Amino acid sequence: MKAVVIGESSGASMDVIMAVYPRHKVVVEKYIDRGDVIGIGPFSDRGNMAIFKTRAAAEEFVKEDPFILEGLVKSFVIRDWNDTLLLS
């Protein structure tokens, strides 16, 4: 079962986001290089979502992501995701 981290934007300005982004990217790249991330990115309202192969990877990520640690993500939830494709 996969795990999805869904974050809510704190409303930080793009200047603040871009100041933190290089540190965030280093953490993201670590999880990509390890093969833990399936997809990651922002929503149009500056919230965000990341899909991880395991809940353990998602839980580890939220403990070190600068966007979360520095308050750019106001709140987040980790949800287990059963990604079974349903065909009609």
Side-chain angles (χ1 to χ4, degrees), residues 5-9 43 45-49 73-77:
V5 178
I6 301 171
E8 181 180 358
S9 172
F43 293 117
D45 67 356
R46 295 194 185 149
N48 52 68
M49 182 175 81
V73 173
K74 179 168 73 172
S75 64
F76 68 88
V77 62

Side-chain angles (χ1 to χ4, degrees), residues 8-12 16 20 65-75:
E8 181 180 358
S9 172
S10 68
V16 171
V20 176
D65 178 31
F67 279 178
I68 292 172
L69 298 177
E70 297 181 33
L72 280 71
V73 173
K74 179 168 73 172
S75 64

Side-chain angles (χ1 to χ4, degrees), residues 23-35:
R23 295 189 305 282
H24 165 76
K25 185 176 184 211
V26 167
V27 174
V28 169
E29 291 295 331
K30 176 177 121 177
Y31 287 84
I32 291 171
D33 291 346
R34 289 187 348 196

